[in-house]
Amino acid sequence: MKDGAALAKINLDAAKYCESKSAFFHSLNLLQRGLEYLNTEDKWLENFELSMEMTESLAKMEFVVGSFDACKVTIKEILLRANSTKTKVKVVSTKVETHSTKMIGS
């Protein structure tokens, strides 16, 4: 694992810990920063699993903190990159929740 990927993994682990403690904004921040360590077009080739896990977690945290527009953008990226139906179904479920929550809040 290269240095950037190693740092991204540390951020992912810290983000999961923050999520478990209901520190959702901290988790979101850690995921955003962690993805910056992988922020090259090659991240999806060199670190697909890590990139996907971090991006899925990012979408979840964006949803939880109410950043619905950002969540929609993240979901689009996941759907573009997803290589399995299981991943796509999970993300579409989050997308439906996002739309439902926005409609209820309106």
Side-chain angles (χ1 to χ4, degrees):
M1 188 179 281
K2 293 183 181 179
D3 289 344
L7 291 171
K9 176 71 171 114
I10 291 168
N11 275 44
L12 175 60
D13 292 341
K16 287 179 180 179
Y17 176 78
C18 287
E19 180 184 353
S20 75
K21 300 299 182 185
S22 300
F24 302 123
F25 283 100
H26 291 294
S27 179
L28 176 67
N29 187 298
L30 286 161
L31 291 164
Q32 290 168 332
R33 289 181 186 224
L35 282 165
E36 289 174 6
Y37 292 122
L38 300 175
N39 199 14
T40 65
E41 188 54 37
D42 295 338
K43 76 180 178 184
W44 292 104
L45 298 174
E46 293 178 12
N47 299 294
F48 180 84
E49 294 299 325
L50 179 58
S51 296
M52 184 57 72
E53 185 176 0
M54 292 189 76
T55 306
E56 287 177 2
S57 295
L58 178 64
K60 181 179 176 183
M61 286 302 100
E62 288 169 338
F63 175 79
V64 169
V65 302
S67 296
F68 301 122
D69 291 335
C71 183
K72 285 176 22 181
V73 171
T74 304
I75 287 171
K76 284 182 184 178
E77 181 177 12
I78 295 168
L79 290 173
L80 177 69
R81 305 292 184 165
N83 62 0
S84 73
T85 303
K86 181 180 177 182
T87 299
K88 289 180 181 181
V89 167
K90 184 169 43 170
V91 171
V92 168
S93 173
T94 301
K95 188 174 183 178
V96 169
E97 288 179 41
T98 301
H99 287 293
S100 298
T101 303
K102 281 184 83 171
M103 289 177 70
I104 291 169
S106 298

